[in-house]
Amino acid sequence: MDCIFCKIIKGEIPSARVYEDEDMIVIRDIAPQAKYHYLAIPKKHFADVTEMTEEDAVLVGRMLRKIGDIAASLGLEGGFRLVSNKGADAMQSVPHLHIHILGGEKLSDKMC
Ligand code: DGP
């Protein structure tokens, strides 16, 4: 499958990986929109929240809990914002579910 995030997971495309476990990798976003901008990417490929099975929902729930666990180690002690885009209106550019993790500074209150 020609998926950029699957290639990053396999190590075929380099990335700044800050965390990895059996469920997911967390990498630095290539075009940061905050002081700290990470992407939590499940190792299993599915396009977005509308394509999740019940099993995927459990996986994503686990990812959220782990993001909470590792947040402080990523410099996010002051708080963080999670975003997962789906589709054209949200400007999703990579059709492999991912959760943006933004923080390290006061974020704009314009969105969310
Ligand atoms: P979205 O628009 O929600 O689909 O976000 C995709 C994000 O992925 C976007 O913020 C830029 C990031 N991105 C795209 N290609 C790469 C890459 O090759 N490496 C890294 N680290 N991030 C990437």
Side-chain angles (χ1 to χ4, degrees), residues 4-5 8 13-15 27-31 33 37 39 85 91-94 98 100:
I4 196 167
F5 285 172
I8 285 175
I13 294 176
S15 67
I27 63 172
R28 289 186 195 279
D29 195 290
I30 206 167
Q33 294 181 43
H37 184 171
L39 300 171
N85 294 318
M91 310 273 287
Q92 182 182 13
S93 59
V94 181
H98 50 283
H100 295 261

Side-chain angles (χ1 to χ4, degrees), residues 11-112:
E12 294 170 7
I13 294 176
S15 67
R17 207 174 281 219
V18 297
Y19 176 81
E20 177 171 11
D21 64 24
E22 65 281 12
D23 288 328
M24 67 171 176
I25 61 170
V26 180
I27 63 172
R28 289 186 195 279
D29 195 290
I30 206 167
Q33 294 181 43
K35 182 177 175 195
Y36 297 134
H37 184 171
Y38 306 100
L39 300 171
I41 307 172
K43 289 184 172 177
K44 180 177 175 197
H45 180 99
F46 47 100
D48 57 58
V49 290
T50 69
E51 299 218 349
M52 287 165 50
T53 63
E54 285 297 320
E55 194 180 298
D56 297 336
V58 173
L59 163 66
V60 171
R62 228 172 20 240
M63 287 175 61
L64 292 174
R65 183 179 54 70
K66 289 173 183 175
I67 289 168
D69 287 346
I70 63 173
S73 71
L74 298 177
L76 302 168
E77 304 91 335
F80 52 90
R81 181 174 293 160
L82 304 179
V83 175
S84 190
N85 294 318
K86 185 269 178 298
D89 280 0
M91 310 273 287
Q92 182 182 13
S93 59
V94 181
H96 177 135
L97 182 132
H98 50 283
I99 301 167
H100 295 261
I101 309 169
L102 300 143
E105 63 182 337
K106 203 81 162 174
L107 300 174
S108 163
D109 62 2
K110 295 228 165 42
M111 294 292 279
C112 312

